Amino acid sequence: MKGLTRAVFSLLSLASWASCESNLTSPLSSRVILPNAFKPAAVFKNVNLLRNINLEKGYVRETINVVIENIDSKPQQEYFLPFTHETVDRIGGLEVRDKKDPGRTGFEIALVEYDPYSTTQFYRIRLPETLKPAGQQTLSISFFILSSLKPLPATIEQIEKQYLVYTFSAYAPSAYETVKQKTKLKLPNPDVPEYTRLPSNSGSGKEDPQREGSSFTYGPYSNIPAGASELVKVRYEFTRPINHARLLERDLEISHWGGNLATEERYWLENQGAHLSKHFSRADWVKVQHFNPPTAALKELRFPLKGGASDPYFTDDIGNVSTSRFRSNIREANLELKPRYPVFGGWKYSFRVGWNADLSGYLRKVPSTSSTTGGDDQTQVSKGNTYVLKVPLLEGPLQPEGIEYEKVHLRIILPEGSKNVRYEPPPGISLTAAEVGLHKTFMDTVGRTCLKLEAVNLVDELRERNIYVTYDYPPLAALRKPLTIFVGIYAVFIAAWAIGKLDTSIGRREK
């Protein structure tokens, strides 16, 4: 018995040593520090620029298609995109593609850090290849702007329409001269009581902007100098909630033994729409719900999940919330939630939701391979202990009005003993921190390996973006849990036997 005990503790010590190896990811670098007197050189010009602004959801989605030309005598590779200092911290999902070759990769995007008090800040876009003098390239730049829509009036009645105001420049912000450009604006409906009109500069006498239903077109404009701005605003009807998540904490727990992926999400939601001008009336709210009229309050959340999801739960600060509906089959699953109360403008609601899923739909094992490289016949061998995990960075609710996330904290909790963790974030995601640590929970010895990622300024349109995590999980580490249980039960029996041998009598024992 002593030999068996000694062998078990030796195996546990070896597994613990393997899991304690250095397992840190490389540090993130998303900012470029430049001198305070920095100003982009006039080495490019925008030959033709088309800017699309979409206001159909509770956040702004903007796309700029521009043909750039190198007007310098030397090859150039760095293109700068300006934003106002009020806007730059609310930019999310910034992506750059080659319009003529969307599959082309290699564009590097970084925020320039040079003067925090400047009214203009820049993103630097490094092209995949240098652009020769007089060479042209067509770029497609897309991004989202969070918390930029303001209700006007700021207070409304419970069943009144809601109107939003958005202020922007009719000229696309640019650090370079633009030969020709125009801005197209897409609104959710034709109910637009106010918008800025500009004098026509084309000589045709046409109104600027030109209106067609719920679409507006400012321009075209010619020979706009670098840094030019022409502020305009539009006020439009949007009787929907403006869903803003101040924080989303998302945990993904991997279990190889159970073949399960457990997901839990904790939300701190806020409706940034117009506040109520009077006290909320539950009677008036129930009275009109039979007709299902448009409302600026959040009254339902719908979570489209992957097929096979099971065991959902929905709780808030008070406790379990029974107003939910779950439907699941092999192809798809839908979780419909109703908050404990309608969330009107300025109101907040925090809750948690979770579910389980079959791990086989997310995890793949890398087969054993061996290859020979180089002239020295160096052989690389994979012992088949490597796994690749593909999970979405966001799942969450999918609403017609959209939802924006100010901060997202993601924890991917791997099995105890996992090591050599690597990850590949999806494009267009602004990661601010990444760390590999330990997460201690029930029946653990040293703790489970945990990959922690933090991101800012995300929206629900990015919910299909996947993150890939690769890690090694040796067979010895897989035995850690059953060995721990065995040692625990063994220790209980030994303790019970030892206690049973104790003499607890008060009197002297007769010989």
Side-chain angles (χ1 to χ4, degrees), residues 439-507:
H439 173 75
K440 295 184 179 180
T441 183
F442 180 69
M443 292 299 290
D444 287 339
T445 52
V446 297
R448 303 185 186 185
T449 305
C450 179
L451 172 61
K452 301 177 183 179
L453 301 176
E454 296 182 7
V456 296
N457 300 339
L458 304 182
V459 297
D460 59 343
E461 292 187 27
L462 302 173
R463 68 189 308 276
E464 299 298 332
R465 305 289 179 91
N466 291 319
I467 179 171
Y468 293 85
V469 180
T470 305
Y471 62 93
D472 295 338
Y473 188 50
L476 187 60
L479 296 175
R480 180 193 301 267
K481 187 69 69 177
L483 290 176
T484 302
I485 296 174
F486 171 76
V487 171
I489 296 176
Y490 180 74
V492 170
F493 279 104
I494 293 299
W497 174 82
I499 293 174
K501 290 294 184 179
L502 295 177
D503 184 9
T504 59
S505 60
I506 300 176

Side-chain angles (χ1 to χ4, degrees), residues 70 72-77 130-133:
N70 182 6
D72 196 48
S73 59
K74 299 178 181 179
Q76 299 294 329
Q77 195 176 11
T130 56
L131 195 60
K132 298 179 180 179

Side-chain angles (χ1 to χ4, degrees), residues 253-263 306-311 328 330 355-364 389-391:
E253 187 170 343
I254 314 300
S255 174
H256 281 231
W257 279 98
N260 186 67
L261 173 63
T263 302
K306 195 172 181 179
S310 62
D311 307 323
S328 177
I330 300 177
W355 61 90
N356 292 321
D358 188 0
L359 184 60
S360 61
Y362 302 88
L363 187 68
R364 291 293 182 269
L389 178 70
K390 184 181 77 170
V391 290

Side-chain angles (χ1 to χ4, degrees), residues 43-89:
V43 295
F44 288 102
K45 73 174 179 181
N46 302 321
V47 178
N48 193 5
L49 186 148
L50 174 61
R51 180 189 184 199
N52 293 287
I53 301 176
N54 191 301
L55 300 178
E56 294 180 305
K57 292 192 174 184
Y59 50 81
V60 180
R61 182 174 71 248
E62 189 165 325
T63 304
I64 300 175
N65 298 319
V66 56
V67 179
I68 63 173
E69 179 180 338
N70 182 6
I71 59 175
D72 196 48
S73 59
K74 299 178 181 179
Q76 299 294 329
Q77 195 176 11
E78 294 182 351
Y79 183 89
F80 290 89
L81 184 66
F83 292 98
T84 62
H85 71 280
E86 299 93 349
T87 305
V88 70
D89 290 333

Side-chain angles (χ1 to χ4, degrees), residues 169 197 246 294 357 392 460 462:
S169 173
R197 295 174 174 85
R246 294 182 290 109
D460 59 343
L462 302 173

Side-chain angles (χ1 to χ4, degrees), residues 163-164 185 187-197 211 213-216 233-237:
Y163 288 86
L164 302 181
L185 191 66
L187 300 171
N189 54 67
D191 188 358
V192 186
E194 298 178 27
Y195 60 92
T196 302
R197 295 174 174 85
R211 179 175 181 178
S214 60
S215 299
F216 291 77
K233 67 179 179 179
V234 59
R235 179 171 174 261
Y236 60 97
E237 187 260 330

